[in-house]
Amino acid sequence: MNWLDINLPLVVLIPFAGAALAAWAARFHRVAAAWTAGGVALLSLALLLPSAIDTFAGETLIQSWAWMPSIGLWFAFRLDGLALLFALLILVIGLLVILYARYYLSAKDSMGRFFAYLLMFMGSMLGIVLSENLLQLIVFWELTSLTSFLLISYWQHRKDAREGARMALAITGAGGLAMLGGVLLLGHVVGSYQLTDVLASGELIQQHPLYTVILVLILLGVFTKSAQFPFHFWLPHAMAAPTPVSAYLHSATMVKAGIFMLARLFPALSGTIEWNLLVGGAGLATLLIGAYTALFKHDLKGLLAYSTISHLGLITLLFGFGTPLAAVAAIFHIINHATFKASLFMVAGIIDHETGTRDMRKLNGLLKYMPHTALLAMIASAAMAGVPLLNGFLSKEMFFEQAVSASDAQGWTWLVPVLVTIAAIFSVAYSLRFIHDVFFNGEPIDLPKTPHEPPRFMKIPVDLLVLICLAVGMLPMFTVAPILAVAVAGTLQTTPPEYSLALWHGFTLPLWMSIIALVLGVALYTVRQRLFDWHERTLHHWDARVIFNALLNGLIKTAHKVSRRFDQGSLQNASAWIVVAALVAGGWGFWLSQQPLLGDRVLLDIDPVSLLMGVLLIVASVLTALWHRQRLVSLIILGVVGLIVSLIFVKFSAPDLALTQLSVEVVTIVLMLLALYYLPQTTPKESASPRQWRDLALALVSGIAVTLLTMSVLSRDFVPISDFFLAKALPEGGGTNVVNVILVDFRGIDTLGEIVVLALAGLGVYAMLKGMSLPAPSHDINGLAWHTDKHSPIMQTLTRLLLPLTLLIAVYIFLRGHNLPGGGFIAGLIAAIALIVQYLANGIVWTRERLPVDMHKVVGVGLLIATGTGLVAMGINFPFLTSTFTHLHWPIVGEFEVASAIAFDLGVFLVVVGSTVIALVRLGELSHSAPNITAEKQ
Amino acid sequence: MMSLTITPVLLPLIAGFSLLLLRQQSLAVQRLFSLGFILALVMIALNLVSTAASGEHQVYLAGNWMAPFGIVFVLDQLSALMVLLTALLALAAMTYTIAHKIDELGAHFHVLFQLQLFGLNGAFMTGDVFNLFVFFEVLLLASYGLLLHGGGRLRTKAGLHYVVINLIGSTLFLFAVGALYGAVGTLNLADMADKIAQAPEERHGLIASAGLLLLIVFGLKAAMFPLYLWLPAAYSQTSAPVAIIRVHGTLFGEAAGPLAYLHIDWVLVSGLITLVLAALAVIAAKGLREQVAYLVLASVATLLIGIGLNRDGSLAATLFYLVHSTLIAAALFLLADTISRGRGDFADKFVSAPAIPQAIFIGAVFMFAAIAMTGMPPLSGFFGKLALLNSALTHPWIFTIFAVVLLSSLLLIIAMARAGSLLFYRTQPTTESVTTPPNRLALSAVLALLSVAALMVVFANPMHEWTQSIAQQQLAHSTYLNAVLSTPVITREVSP
């Protein structure tokens, strides 16, 4: 593979790799990081330049690989004139900034971190300008937001740096997201995210109904990034960054990304009245506000920041005019602004570096301390002001010309040249202030340092940039013309229009505008003091940052409020929401289908016993709720509910379920009684009345809803798959008790899961209560002391007698389970009850001495047996838990059936016994380990 | 019939009771066992993924009973993916646990951990609605136990909320399954889908009602609005969104006639609301852990939106995002824990504190994780969202969806920038506080998880092709139905 086929992605990615390298190099020597950074930038430049030849020949180079092609994302790069111009600006100015920063950073600043961030930022910028795929462009776009966050917050101990960085991230990040939305829609309209396709579909896009939305969303991205009104306010706060960062971000890169986007999408989006109004309007407003505010900034970098805003507005306004010639002027001014603004930021940095302040009220008369720097500053400022023979003059003339020709179009547009001239007047005034206030105007006022010239290499980047300003200003045809021509061709995607870079066009209206601006600008500067006073009194307090902060605080407050409203950490509230949601969902289902709630099956008659049971069930439930604050009473009534449920099972011929329900009931009640022992006998009233009424209403509605749902099922004919179970239970499952065969065979996995749940419950209780001890109450509810004899002999005797009997019943129930009501689960509960009674009657220590079994092991073995039964089947190539059975002939007993499922059931049995005993003993031990009781006894 | 299909379910179960039997052994032995089982699970999961890649459903008839009478386990690409994700998460979490000796804080940590994996894998593999309920119960109990691990008042309170809310969910689950069984008379997912498609019209109300109830249950488990209230105190599961894809996607798919896509708009609307509320809560969070919990909620909400889109490519995008969010959320949880440990008594509270040890490195890791989690370029979260938004372009609610997703992203970015700035920038001069430097092993677990965010970008194409293939298989309902309902049992030789 020819390396020229992959050089564009390399140009972009090398700075990212270089960032890591620079951070690593800094471990050996501070300056090594700077050298690395410089080398990396040079390498990228070297990789880019060979392709530039083709670009100058008018070719567009595209290198593309599939990334996520199904969503239109390609790893695709593009080099045309526009991309080349920006890539060169980024790399060349980047190199100068690296050289400058090497001398700017002080000994306590980490060079490695700085250059790593700077290189990542450089890579992101190169990614933006060299992307062919718009989605990929967004990736790099957001990356510049992130890396500039790191750069701006470089001096992280400073509050203004942190806040400035966060503000920049919020604003440009928001814009990036809006732009993502716009690009997605744009790609949807075009059918591709590749720039080649998008740029060729201008007409299609502009006639699409989504055009305005796309335009607004993309412009939001552009305006936030390029600090256009009303999003301009983040830029001055980003000045908290080290000056090399400002020089880089605010001359050639970060803020130019938005401008780049305007140029890039110019053929696709421009040419409509929406474009003219939105882009032109924002540009004009920004131009004026920036130029005006810059004059009143006493901070050198503040002045430059607003001047940057103003010039960005100028470029935006040019694009807003929408004509090819305006685009030429815009591109030209991009180049010029990058050169003079980078040098001015560097000058500001030098002054700050050598004097210790940037306040123009203190900085005066520096000319004699640093004449070289002063000269550079004067030339660059003059370029900024648009003084003839400098590059700024040329593009400004073109700008005036465009403003004049735009004003021909419509009635009110005569305002445009006027406003533009006013902006130019301010521009001259603040440029003059930058020179006069700093280098003349008397003597410096208590500077922190004695000023002198900076190190030689710190000035070289400025020298070079100023040289470019001069060269372009005087010999445009021999310097800037070729690159300008290809850049314009790349922007417009056609042959550029005719334009002239000549210095002299005769006494045209634009020249007069320049002259007026220069004269009035000087005049304005002379009366500055009165203006400052007036500004101080009136407009000074208007700061968009205040609005931004108010919005942000409002957002945070709202967030707190909303979150508190929904999440009060209240279980009752959460439960109520769930119940309401379930009611709505259930009701919606019926409403949606417009089908009758009930079926047409004839209902059975009610017999008196069932009615009585039903009424009892309701009364018991209501009483449980009513008396819930007397815990013992409500628990007993709850027992009634359980009992009736098991009777209902009996009534509907489900003896297994009835047995299970009964034994579960016993175990649960014992468990809860043990728990109640540690709780107060009564609970205080916790909920206010309205809450209770709400809950009552919810309970009633839910009850009715569940009844209706049940009725809806019961009133329809039922055609389940259960016939299969009835038919196969004996011949293939080896048992006549279908319920048990379902549990241990047909749906054995369910049972396996449920015993795991039970085991988890037991182990969970154990883990939760381990090491915990609660003071046992010494008195009962009526204040009577508990009897000192904890273990009544009558109960002890009785339960010891009952133990073998109960265990025998458990074995019996277990063994007959497969054919008659019973099974491992019920048997396990019965055995557990038998053992628990021993603990209750004789105390834990006594029982444990006689039953030295680790119940954890019992649970483990139970799970082992149950799972093992299934694994055996797998061992002989049948699926997990496949059962088999056979008939054995035992002497005396006779014909005897053995199903493998009985082993599974044994596992169930052991888990049930083990888990139940673990939980209950643990609860019992809570007081057992409580010292006060044992002490009392002794 | 391949035994491989059931192995990911059985292995953690065997690990669970083996560890229970080994409980008298030293913790070192238990750790070795636990980690060994998880490593084996990772291997098996990789094997599952490669087996499933054929695109055929592997149906396992447990107990050798024909579907719909027995319980089936189904290996398809989705379940293979989820098992792999679970195993990788488990590996990272276990490494972190061992590194910080978290298992010393209470009893039975390893047993509970393995049984939680049993519940998760079972829930991903099962093809039976009631069996899904059982595995959700296993999951609930195990995670409740783990939630209480280490004790303390706050944990106990959060745990109580978690278990009560989930028990309400279980009750609703039973109502829903009962009603569905009453309406169509079967519990097997494939059979149920088949019967729903053929159900007489007068039963549609009942089926729709039960289906939506079931959605509420999964929504509750996924912490969907308005059911998410318990989440900040606990943590979220990706199992529930997957259950929606699996259960509702199958039952109310294209073939369900008038009931087709019954759940879609519900999921979408709740996803949108949840995302807004989660983003606000991320802003309002007072501590890092709370913030992370809500970030996770935001990503669950994004998943729900993805499910609710129901457009070409949206399921593939959702799954892409799911892989990202599962692993990155876990990493962020672990990272939040690391940061709180480094801050000593200040823990994870959003107040200015002395710089933590190795602040620059941990700060960089935090920034990386934050970029991934908030869906900023150039990490996986952005590409997931990109794919989702791209598939939303043809949706009638496109503007609402774009507005909610993009604005909530902005809120997350603002919140994370504030958090990071406070935790790592606005530090106080160090006093003589006792803070421990981060544990290398623990940190490596976090970094391993985070590396996915970069890998998924570099290998976005194969990754996305994979999720597309998973989605395609998931949407081909009739293949699933045929596979499940026609798998034969192994015929027995008649015993002598």
Side-chain angles (χ1 to χ4, degrees):
Chain A
M1 194 194 326
N2 188 348
W3 67 271
L4 272 177
D5 295 336
I6 55 162
N7 66 331
L8 293 185
L10 285 181
V11 168
V12 174
L13 294 179
I14 280 174
F16 287 101
L21 195 65
W24 178 74
R27 296 168 66 164
F28 302 102
H29 193 271
R30 276 171 54 73
V31 183
W35 280 105
T36 313
V40 166
L42 273 177
L43 182 60
S44 272
L45 192 59
L47 282 169
L48 178 70
L49 285 178
S51 299
I53 301 162
D54 296 336
T55 313
F56 279 107
E59 282 176 34
T60 299
L61 179 63
I62 289 177
Q63 295 170 354
S64 173
W65 296 267
W67 198 352
M68 283 170 86
S70 50
I71 65 164
L73 174 63
W74 293 76
F75 189 61
F77 295 86
R78 170 194 188 92
L79 184 70
D80 58 9
L82 181 66
L84 179 67
L85 168 67
F86 270 89
L88 287 177
L89 281 177
I90 292 162
L91 284 167
V92 172
I93 298 195
L95 269 167
L96 297 177
V97 165
I98 289 168
L99 177 61
Y100 176 81
R102 181 250 165 274
Y103 292 94
Y104 179 86
L105 291 179
S106 71
K108 59 178 192 284
D109 297 325
S110 158
M111 283 258 190
R113 212 155 57 82
F114 181 86
F115 285 108
Y117 294 166
L118 195 76
L119 283 175
M120 284 197 284
F121 179 79
M122 182 186 276
S124 315
M125 274 310 297
L126 288 168
I128 292 181
V129 300
L130 292 174
S131 277
E132 155 75 357
N133 187 283
L134 280 172
L135 294 177
Q136 179 193 302
L137 190 150
I138 297 282
V139 170
F140 289 111
W141 182 276
E142 292 288 49
L143 263 176
T144 58
S145 297
L146 287 170
T147 43
S148 66
F149 172 82
L150 290 172
L151 283 169
I152 297 170
S153 64
Y154 177 73
W155 284 321
Q156 49 193 244
H157 52 275
R158 284 170 41 179
K159 186 163 183 273
D160 59 337
R162 292 195 303 261
E163 286 186 349
R166 285 215 307 271
M167 190 192 288
L169 178 66
I171 302 285
T172 58
L177 290 169
M179 182 177 268
L180 170 62
V183 162
L184 280 166
L185 291 173
L186 182 64
H188 179 55
V189 169
V190 176
S192 159
Y193 294 108
Q194 299 292 82
L195 269 173
T196 311
D197 302 325
V198 172
L199 295 182
S201 318
E203 208 166 315
L204 170 74
I205 298 164
Q206 291 171 22
Q207 280 161 8
H208 199 276
L210 282 173
Y211 169 72
T212 318
V213 183
I214 293 172
L215 182 67
V216 167
L217 286 174
I218 290 181
L219 287 182
L220 276 174
V222 167
F223 290 171
T224 49
K225 202 75 158 187
S226 286
Q228 294 299 296
F229 178 80
F231 308 108
H232 60 283
F233 54 91
W234 67 264
L235 196 142
H237 295 283
M239 293 297 144
T243 302
V245 173
S246 311
Y248 196 39
L249 262 60
H250 304 140
S251 64
T253 55
M254 172 90 164
V255 294
K256 289 284 169 65
I259 301 290
F260 168 79
M261 222 32 200
L262 283 181
R264 186 81 282 179
L265 295 176
F266 192 76
L269 296 178
S270 75
T272 61
I273 187 78
E274 290 96 326
W275 169 279
N276 293 347
L277 284 178
L278 288 171
V279 180
L284 187 58
T286 315
L287 169 70
L288 283 165
I289 291 175
Y292 170 80
T293 317
L295 181 59
F296 300 101
K297 289 288 152 187
H298 302 303
D299 175 17
L300 269 182
K301 277 176 83 178
L303 184 151
L304 291 178
Y306 277 98
S307 137
T308 302
I309 292 176
S310 167
H311 281 271
L312 292 168
L314 187 159
I315 300 168
T316 307
L317 175 57
L318 275 170
F319 279 116
F321 290 146
T323 59
L325 274 172
V328 175
I331 305 274
F332 193 20
H333 199 67
I334 289 171
I335 302 171
N336 297 335
H337 177 250
T339 47
F340 67 67
K341 195 48 68 65
S343 52
L344 284 173
F345 268 115
M346 288 181 186
V347 166
I350 289 174
I351 293 171
D352 185 14
H353 202 254
E354 305 306 331
T355 65
T357 181
R358 297 189 319 233
D359 191 333
M360 276 183 281
R361 285 164 300 190
K362 293 183 181 171
L363 293 166
N364 296 315
L366 290 185
L367 180 66
K368 63 179 170 207
Y369 300 100
M370 35 176 71
H372 185 144
T373 310
L375 180 67
L376 295 174
M378 280 183 247
I379 299 171
S381 309
M384 176 160 77
V387 173
L389 293 182
L390 292 165
N391 58 356
F393 171 73
L394 292 174
S395 48
K396 214 159 204 179
E397 283 289 283
M398 285 168 104
F399 168 57
F400 288 151
E401 196 180 316
Q402 290 307 310
V404 171
S405 53
S407 69
D408 299 339
Q410 277 163 344
W412 56 270
T413 46
W414 59 268
L415 261 177
V416 174
V418 175
L419 292 174
V420 158
T421 315
I422 293 176
I425 295 169
F426 275 96
S427 171
V428 170
Y430 68 67
S431 301
L432 192 55
R433 183 174 184 210
F434 189 92
I435 296 168
H436 184 257
D437 254 8
V438 176
F439 296 103
F440 303 95
N441 203 20
E443 278 296 304
I445 304 162
D446 47 73
L447 294 180
K449 292 185 197 168
T450 317
H452 56 79
E453 284 282 352
R456 186 165 149 248
F457 281 99
M458 207 164 163
K459 280 182 299 193
I460 283 183
V462 195
D463 288 339
L464 287 171
L465 288 166
V466 167
L467 212 58
I468 297 174
C469 289
L470 286 165
V472 171
M474 289 188 267
L475 302 164
M477 287 313 292
F478 303 102
T479 48
V480 78
I483 181 78
L484 181 62
V486 291
V488 169
T491 307
L492 301 174
Q493 293 292 307
T494 57
T495 8
E498 285 294 316
Y499 58 89
S500 149
L501 290 175
L503 289 171
W504 181 252
H505 292 270
F507 281 103
T508 54
L509 188 53
L511 187 63
W512 281 115
M513 285 162 77
S514 277
I515 294 168
I516 294 172
L518 281 170
V519 172
L520 288 186
V522 175
L524 189 66
Y525 179 69
T526 52
V527 295
R528 64 187 181 281
Q529 205 48 53
R530 252 176 289 166
L531 270 172
F532 287 174
D533 295 343
W534 177 81
H535 179 81
E536 200 73 35
R537 280 198 311 276
T538 53
L539 295 176
H540 180 63
H541 307 286
W542 284 74
D543 188 353
R545 189 183 73 137
V546 180
I547 302 171
F548 173 79
N549 281 340
L551 280 175
L552 195 62
N553 286 333
L555 172 72
I556 293 168
K557 260 194 206 126
T558 318
H560 275 290
K561 221 185 267 174
V562 173
S563 304
R564 251 205 319 268
R565 173 116 198 83
F566 280 101
D567 171 27
Q568 301 165 324
S570 151
L571 183 57
Q572 287 84 347
N573 266 353
S575 316
W577 272 104
I578 293 168
V579 173
V580 170
L583 285 171
V584 172
W588 186 273
F590 279 104
W591 181 81
L592 192 72
S593 65
Q594 298 292 327
Q595 293 299 325
L597 189 60
L598 301 181
D600 44 12
R601 196 174 137 169
V602 185
L603 299 181
L604 300 177
D605 294 329
I606 300 174
D607 59 294
V609 181
S610 304
L611 187 65
L612 181 68
M613 290 295 138
V615 171
L616 265 179
L617 191 61
I618 292 171
V619 171
S621 309
V622 170
L623 286 181
T624 310
L626 269 183
W627 289 342
H628 76 279
R629 290 197 286 126
Q630 289 145 287
R631 290 184 165 141
L632 187 61
V633 181
S634 60
L635 187 59
I636 291 167
I637 300 178
L638 201 60
V640 176
V641 175
L643 211 63
I644 295 174
V645 171
S646 53
L647 285 177
I648 292 174
F649 285 138
V650 172
K651 153 108 172 116
F652 288 104
S653 323
D656 283 274
L657 297 186
L659 273 175
T660 313
Q661 175 69 30
L662 263 181
S663 35
V664 166
E665 199 60 33
V666 173
V667 174
T668 341
I669 295 284
V670 173
L671 234 162
M672 289 176 74
L673 277 174
L674 272 173
L676 272 194
Y677 180 59
Y678 303 101
L679 298 175
Q681 294 291 314
T682 54
T683 29
K685 190 172 172 180
E686 279 163 338
S687 317
S689 276
R691 161 80 68 83
Q692 287 184 331
W693 284 110
R694 180 198 77 180
D695 291 349
L696 180 65
L698 265 183
L700 282 175
V701 177
S702 325
I704 293 168
V706 173
T707 312
L708 288 178
L709 185 67
T710 316
M711 284 303 292
S712 174
V713 173
L714 294 182
S715 60
R716 290 179 163 88
D717 286 322
F718 181 48
V719 259
I721 54 171
S722 37
D723 288 342
F724 175 88
F725 298 132
L726 291 174
K728 300 275 181 166
L730 188 57
E732 290 185 26
T736 51
N737 179 359
V738 182
V739 173
N740 186 268
V741 179
I742 290 178
L743 284 179
V744 298
D745 196 342
F746 292 120
R747 300 188 65 92
I749 296 273
D750 278 349
T751 312
L752 188 61
E754 287 299 354
I755 59 174
V756 171
V757 171
L758 200 59
L760 279 167
L763 299 177
V765 170
Y766 174 83
M768 178 168 71
L769 300 183
K770 191 175 178 232
M772 189 193 272
S773 72
L774 293 174
S778 53
H779 301 280
D780 76 353
I781 184 173
N782 298 318
L784 290 172
W786 291 107
H787 199 279
T788 47
D789 182 8
K790 292 176 78 186
H791 306 301
S792 131
I794 302 175
M795 188 163 164
Q796 282 178 341
T797 319
L798 207 61
T799 52
R800 278 174 213 177
L801 277 175
L802 275 174
L803 179 67
L805 283 175
T806 331
L807 288 181
L808 200 64
I809 292 173
V811 172
Y812 170 70
I813 294 271
F814 175 77
L815 284 178
R816 69 178 216 152
H818 216 46
N819 294 314
L820 292 164
F825 194 81
I826 305 168
L829 285 172
I830 292 173
I833 294 168
L835 294 177
I836 289 160
V837 169
Q838 299 307 311
Y839 284 100
L840 286 178
N842 303 307
I844 289 166
V845 177
W846 186 93
T847 319
R848 191 171 279 162
E849 274 168 15
R850 280 151 192 83
L851 191 69
V853 181
D854 178 5
M855 283 299 168
H856 296 272
K857 285 245 160 78
V858 173
V859 173
V861 170
L863 288 174
L864 170 70
I865 293 176
T867 315
T869 316
L871 292 175
V872 168
M874 287 175 86
I876 50 172
N877 287 326
F878 277 100
F880 184 68
L881 274 185
T882 305
S883 72
T884 183
F885 61 92
T886 183
H887 293 265
L888 296 177
H889 189 80
W890 272 13
I892 308 167
V893 182
E895 185 83 355
F896 191 86
E897 186 204 275
V898 181
S900 68
I902 202 158
F904 182 78
D905 224 10
L906 179 65
V908 175
F909 174 84
L910 290 176
V911 174
V912 172
V913 174
S915 314
T916 319
V917 173
I918 289 175
L920 287 167
V921 169
R922 201 58 237 171
L923 266 175
E925 265 181 335
L926 275 180
S927 70
H928 197 80
S929 50
N932 60 339
I933 271 285
T934 28
E936 236 172 71
K937 260 190 82 180
Q938 284 157 2
Chain B
M1 175 110 37
M2 304 228 347
S3 307
L4 180 66
T5 306
I6 192 123
T7 322
V9 184
L10 290 182
L11 198 70
L13 174 63
I14 294 168
F17 65 70
S18 307
L19 280 158
L20 187 58
L21 293 173
L22 286 173
R23 78 183 196 105
Q24 306 293 358
Q25 303 293 321
S26 68
L27 261 181
V29 174
Q30 295 186 31
R31 284 172 186 166
L32 202 66
F33 247 81
S34 205
L35 206 56
F37 270 108
I38 291 173
L39 280 172
L41 194 61
V42 174
M43 296 295 154
I44 287 167
L46 288 171
N47 201 342
L48 286 177
V49 168
S50 72
T51 309
S54 72
E56 271 177 53
H57 293 89
Q58 309 281 340
V59 179
Y60 191 87
L61 305 177
N64 204 22
W65 294 106
M66 184 80 182
F69 307 108
I71 290 171
V72 296
F73 288 86
V74 185
L75 169 65
D76 58 9
Q77 297 190 69
L78 180 61
S79 51
L81 168 74
M82 292 317 295
V83 168
L84 179 62
L85 276 183
T86 309
L88 291 176
L89 270 191
L91 186 61
M94 184 52 75
T95 311
Y96 192 89
T97 302
I98 293 173
H100 280 300
K101 302 190 170 82
I102 293 170
D103 51 357
E104 283 176 359
L105 300 177
H108 293 315
F109 180 87
H110 293 283
V111 179
L112 294 172
F113 193 92
Q114 293 288 348
L115 291 181
Q116 185 183 34
L117 295 180
F118 169 62
L120 278 166
N121 287 350
F124 292 133
M125 306 284 303
T126 188
D128 185 283
V129 180
F130 186 79
N131 196 241
L132 181 67
F133 169 78
V134 173
F135 279 115
F136 268 178
E137 293 300 288
V138 173
L139 189 56
L140 166 63
L141 263 283
S143 52
Y144 180 46
L146 288 171
L147 201 63
L148 293 178
H149 182 77
R153 201 169 142 264
L154 275 178
R155 258 175 221 274
T156 313
K157 187 183 166 201
L160 180 75
H161 286 201
Y162 177 75
V163 81
V164 171
I165 299 275
N166 273 286
L167 285 178
I168 298 177
S170 302
T171 314
L172 291 175
F173 202 145
L174 284 182
F175 286 167
V177 173
L180 280 175
Y181 185 67
V184 295
T186 186
L187 289 170
N188 179 288
L189 190 61
D191 196 33
M192 202 181 257
D194 195 29
K195 297 231 164 92
I196 286 178
Q198 296 164 17
E201 210 174 316
E202 58 101 22
R203 293 200 177 195
H204 282 180
L206 180 56
I207 295 168
S209 190
L212 290 178
L213 265 185
L214 201 56
L215 184 67
I216 295 287
V217 177
F218 295 147
L220 183 149
K221 305 234 174 220
M224 176 167 98
F225 173 82
L227 315 166
Y228 72 92
L229 306 169
W230 53 266
L231 183 98
Y235 60 94
S236 158
Q237 311 276 2
T238 42
S239 55
V242 174
I244 296 178
I245 296 176
R246 165 95 62 206
V247 175
H248 285 84
T250 309
L251 294 184
F252 303 107
E254 214 176 341
L259 290 172
Y261 308 123
L262 166 77
H263 60 294
I264 287 298
D265 285 350
W266 279 71
V267 177
L268 182 56
V269 171
S270 339
L272 291 169
I273 299 176
T274 311
L275 185 53
V276 171
L277 292 176
L280 287 176
V282 168
I283 293 240
K286 293 190 183 67
L288 185 57
R289 284 177 222 247
E290 189 190 341
Q291 189 166 55
V292 173
Y294 278 117
L295 279 168
V296 173
L297 180 60
S299 68
V300 171
T302 311
L303 286 179
L304 292 174
I305 293 173
I307 297 171
L309 282 176
N310 198 29
R311 299 275 130 179
D312 274 352
S314 66
L315 188 56
T318 308
L319 292 171
F320 187 92
Y321 191 79
L322 179 123
V323 174
H324 144 84
S325 75
T326 310
L327 296 175
I328 302 308
L332 209 52
F333 266 119
L334 298 182
L335 188 61
D337 188 75
T338 305
I339 292 170
S340 331
R341 281 169 193 271
R343 281 164 51 104
D345 292 339
F346 292 94
D348 70 329
K349 283 196 279 294
F350 284 147
V351 288
S352 178
I356 63 170
Q358 291 186 30
I360 293 181
F361 181 64
I362 303 276
V365 175
F366 178 81
M367 179 155 177
F368 185 91
I371 290 172
M373 197 67 197
T374 51
M376 286 281 274
L379 298 179
S380 52
F382 176 77
F383 293 86
K385 272 189 192 168
L386 197 62
L388 271 179
L389 291 176
N390 190 63
S391 70
L393 281 168
T394 53
H395 198 282
W397 300 353
I398 171 173
F399 291 116
T400 317
I401 295 167
F402 267 46
V404 168
V405 172
L406 294 176
L407 284 176
S408 65
S409 292
L410 177 64
L411 294 187
L412 299 188
I413 293 165
I414 292 175
M416 291 302 270
R418 281 162 54 91
S421 163
L422 186 69
L423 291 172
F424 297 101
Y425 282 0
R426 224 177 95 196
T427 47
Q428 291 170 350
T430 321
T431 48
E432 293 296 312
S433 65
V434 191
T435 47
T436 39
N439 180 307
R440 272 165 182 265
L441 182 63
L443 210 53
S444 67
V446 178
L447 293 180
L449 285 174
L450 283 178
S451 68
V452 173
L455 290 175
M456 277 180 72
V457 173
V458 177
F459 300 104
N461 199 15
M463 185 72 208
H464 192 233
E465 275 171 8
W466 183 27
T467 60
Q468 278 174 317
S469 148
I470 298 175
Q472 202 179 8
Q473 189 186 29
Q474 199 52 38
L475 294 173
H477 296 126
S478 54
T479 330
Y480 174 76
L481 262 56
N482 286 337
V484 170
L485 295 176
S486 65
T487 302
V489 296
I490 295 177
T491 43
R492 306 165 185 236
E493 296 156 30
V494 181
S495 28

